[in-house]
Amino acid sequence: MTILAIESSCDETAIALLEENGGVIEIKQNLLTSQVAMHAQYGGVVPEVAAREHVDIIFPMLKASGISRDGEGIDVIAVTAGPGLVPALRVGVELAKVLAWLWNKPLVAVNHLEGHIYSVWGGETKPTFPALCLLVSGGHTELILMKDHGQYELIGMTRDDAAGEAFDKVAKLLGLPYPGGPEISKAAEQGNPNAINFPRPMLNSGDFDFSFSGLKTAVRNEISSALPLSKGELEGVRVADIAASFQQAVIDTLVTKTMKAIAHTGAKSLILSGGVSANKSLRFTLESTLSKQFPEVSFFAPNLSLTGDNAVMIALAGIHRFKAGETVDPLTLVANPNMRLA
Ligand code: KG4
Ligand code: ZN
């Protein structure tokens, strides 16, 4: 089966072409353009600007994908229908609708979060169910129990900021550019993760929820107390220590809660995904803690090229939606910014 996938929910425009044969995946095309540099000047993503960029890039990208103009060879089209920024989502959704309608091909609406989860499905070994998913991105921090393909139960979520959002906000406080995650993890490599004992929010709350906004406030307080009264810039060493200690607090919280959720759910696999899964220290700590505490549970994290938004993950999720017979009508599909998984 050959699937064409389109993603435009935030600040990445992406088109992928995948071939699936008996569970074996071949990525034929993986095209991606990031607008990160453009949004960096605003310190975050501006929806209207993102949409305009998607419009400019998506058609040339479709052409560059080399697909036949009559859709020959394509069996199904998948598109991210939500959640995300409405003006941005609509660009991909409308293109997918037109193609599906003109070519008379089945259309599948993929949830962006489901896409992140399926980013680990490209390899030879696939997760076994039930699988616990720790989804950490710029907009979401969730623990989801996946009982089977397409069957999700939300176990826990953030009550305020998402993990990626916390990285972005703390980076801003430290004077580092957007997006903050990669910057913080780079700075953290030179710092001492035990230099400052930042709070580990909701560690013993008895549920599987997270909260990161208090941690951000603690970082802000630490910065103001570290800054000399004359108001200057933080020394590089201090930036590195704050970054490393903040990152450690986030990782400790994510890892501890995830282990508790594994024990609670009896999950057979653990899937780490979303933009923050690019964080090497998080990947390493989560995998090594899992292998110590639950050696029978297998660990999955996306290839580093698939941690951020991309269309390959939308295709991977789309394959399963299509196999389950879940196609949508191209004439009525509407982008849904609040689309839910469970
Ligand atoms: O999944 P994603 O690309 O977009 C959303 O769907 O939100 O995630 C983007 C988030 C940003 O907040 C970014 O700072 C964070 O992922 N991120 C990281 C790292 N790389 C990206 N956070 C921590 N460490 C990283 N290495
Ligand atoms: Zn994402």
Side-chain angles (χ1 to χ4, degrees):
M1 173 203 324
T2 302
I3 183 163
L4 171 71
I6 301 169
E7 153 71 40
S8 72
S9 65
C10 192
D11 57 350
E12 260 95 28
T13 322
I15 292 182
L17 203 60
L18 254 69
E19 212 173 277
E20 188 263 358
N21 211 327
V24 180
I25 306 286
E26 192 187 337
I27 301 175
K28 297 276 196 188
Q29 277 288 6
N30 179 14
L31 303 176
L32 181 92
T33 300
S34 178
Q35 308 170 5
V36 154
M38 153 157 313
H39 295 287
Q41 59 182 306
Y42 307 109
V45 182
V46 184
E48 201 50 46
V49 176
R52 261 180 257 158
E53 287 293 307
H54 286 313
V55 168
D56 285 350
I57 204 82
I58 209 157
F59 182 61
M61 187 178 271
L62 183 71
K63 211 163 156 244
S65 75
I67 52 163
S68 150
R69 283 180 62 186
D70 56 10
E72 201 192 316
I74 290 167
D75 300 303
V76 53
I77 299 169
V79 65
T80 306
L85 310 167
V86 178
L89 280 167
R90 288 192 65 183
V91 178
V93 167
E94 296 307 313
L95 173 63
K97 285 162 68 173
V98 170
L99 293 179
W101 184 68
L102 284 177
W103 294 343
N104 199 20
K105 304 280 180 191
L107 178 64
V108 181
V110 172
N111 182 307
H112 180 80
L113 306 182
E114 184 171 42
H116 275 301
I117 292 172
Y118 273 91
S119 61
V120 303
W121 249 271
E124 229 167 87
T125 321
K126 321 275 183 199
T128 42
F129 300 117
L132 182 74
C133 313
L134 173 63
L135 182 68
V136 272
S137 71
H140 296 265
T141 299
E142 295 180 357
L143 275 167
I144 298 158
L145 185 66
M146 188 177 184
K147 295 172 185 164
D148 204 336
H149 289 296
Q151 281 184 37
Y152 306 97
E153 185 189 332
L154 186 62
I155 302 283
M157 61 189 288
T158 181
R159 297 198 180 167
D160 39 59
D161 292 348
E165 195 179 355
F167 271 90
D168 295 337
K169 287 179 176 171
V170 165
K172 210 170 188 175
L173 292 172
L174 288 171
L176 300 170
Y178 172 86
E183 297 290 333
I184 296 254
S185 55
K186 204 171 6 147
E189 282 171 22
Q190 313 298 325
N192 172 7
N194 302 313
I196 306 140
N197 188 18
F198 284 128
R200 269 63 173 159
M202 296 184 66
L203 211 53
N204 298 307
S205 60
D207 55 26
F208 303 107
D209 284 349
F210 303 96
S211 164
F212 293 109
S213 80
L215 181 54
K216 179 189 62 198
T217 309
V219 173
R220 185 184 289 123
N221 293 342
E222 178 63 31
I223 292 173
S224 21
S225 65
L227 274 178
L229 287 175
S230 58
K231 191 169 176 271
E233 284 192 0
L234 279 181
E235 281 177 54
V237 177
R238 204 62 195 156
V239 168
D241 280 350
I242 293 175
S245 303
F246 159 77
Q247 177 174 277
Q248 196 56 48
V250 174
I251 292 175
D252 281 354
T253 313
L254 291 172
V255 171
T256 306
K257 285 262 160 137
T258 304
M259 292 308 129
K260 284 183 180 173
I262 294 264
H264 178 76
T265 58
K268 291 191 179 136
S269 321
L270 172 62
I271 300 172
L272 169 69
S273 66
V276 183
S277 72
N279 190 289
K280 292 196 178 113
S281 189
L282 170 62
R283 286 167 93 103
F284 174 78
T285 315
L286 194 62
E287 183 170 17
S288 54
T289 312
L290 183 75
S291 70
K292 269 185 226 127
Q293 294 188 15
F294 301 95
E296 70 286 3
V297 178
S298 33
F299 178 74
F300 295 85
N303 189 298
L304 280 176
S305 65
L306 298 180
T307 55
D309 292 347
N310 64 85
V312 170
M313 67 185 197
I314 303 305
L316 290 167
I319 289 168
H320 287 278
R321 288 259 153 209
F322 179 64
K323 284 187 173 171
E326 293 175 24
T327 55
V328 295
D329 183 349
L331 293 177
T332 56
L333 176 65
V334 182
N336 177 2
N338 304 313
M339 193 172 180
R340 290 175 60 95
L341 252 193

